[in-house]
Amino acid sequence: TGSSDPYCIVKIDDEAIIRTATVWKTLSPFWGEEYEVHLQPSFHSISIYVMDEDALSRDDVIGKVCITRDMLAQHPKGYSSWVSLSEVDPDEEVQGEIHLRVEVLGSQGGRRQLRCSVLEAR
């Protein structure tokens, strides 16, 4: 039909912690959702999986973006850019990108805060 029914799953170190709502029949989804998650100081990566909901079969993985601890070390104040989705299944072609903003905020109670925003997707 030329459109998808996308939603996102956010995983920290391969543990799913967030599932967004599905945005029906679009290739440019907007979720407008915010979540607060407490990261363990020893975390290794945050992965955002973009999925396509399918009522008749298993949901398809459109692609993913991974933010690693090393990436955050390279950008201590954060960054904002379009990031291409990477493949999850080597047999699937991946098309799409998300506009990601990552901010490392000052300490609150001795803990640094990380704000990750998916601004747009296409």
Side-chain angles (χ1 to χ4, degrees):
T1 62
S3 66
S4 293
D5 301 317
Y7 66 91
C8 292
I9 294 175
V10 179
K11 294 183 178 183
I12 296 177
D13 294 335
D14 291 327
E15 180 184 345
I17 58 164
I18 295 169
R19 185 204 191 278
T20 68
T22 300
V23 181
W24 302 101
K25 297 182 179 8
T26 184
L27 293 177
S28 299
F30 173 78
W31 286 278
E33 300 176 23
E34 291 186 21
Y35 301 92
E36 185 171 315
V37 176
H38 298 283
L39 293 174
Q40 296 299 321
S42 60
F43 89 97
H44 292 97
S45 67
I46 301 166
S47 299
I48 302 168
Y49 289 78
V50 182
M51 308 291 292
D52 182 12
E53 189 164 322
D54 192 335
L56 302 176
S57 65
R58 199 170 127 201
D59 294 354
D60 296 319
V61 180
I62 296 173
K64 77 172 187 173
V65 169
C66 187
I67 302 165
T68 65
R69 185 187 222 24
D70 292 339
M71 289 170 67
L72 294 174
Q74 292 173 9
H75 304 279
K77 294 186 179 188
Y79 61 92
S80 178
S81 67
W82 282 95
V83 180
S84 294
L85 296 175
S86 62
E87 66 186 21
V88 174
D89 181 347
D91 295 331
E92 295 289 327
E93 180 184 349
V94 176
Q95 294 181 353
E97 58 186 350
I98 61 176
H99 186 186
L100 194 62
R101 181 174 60 216
V102 178
E103 300 169 274
V104 180
L105 307 174
S107 296
Q108 184 177 28
R111 292 182 168 168
R112 290 189 318 165
Q113 291 185 317
L114 175 68
R115 178 180 293 146
C116 177
S117 304
V118 177
L119 303 175
E120 298 177 75
R122 57 185 180 204

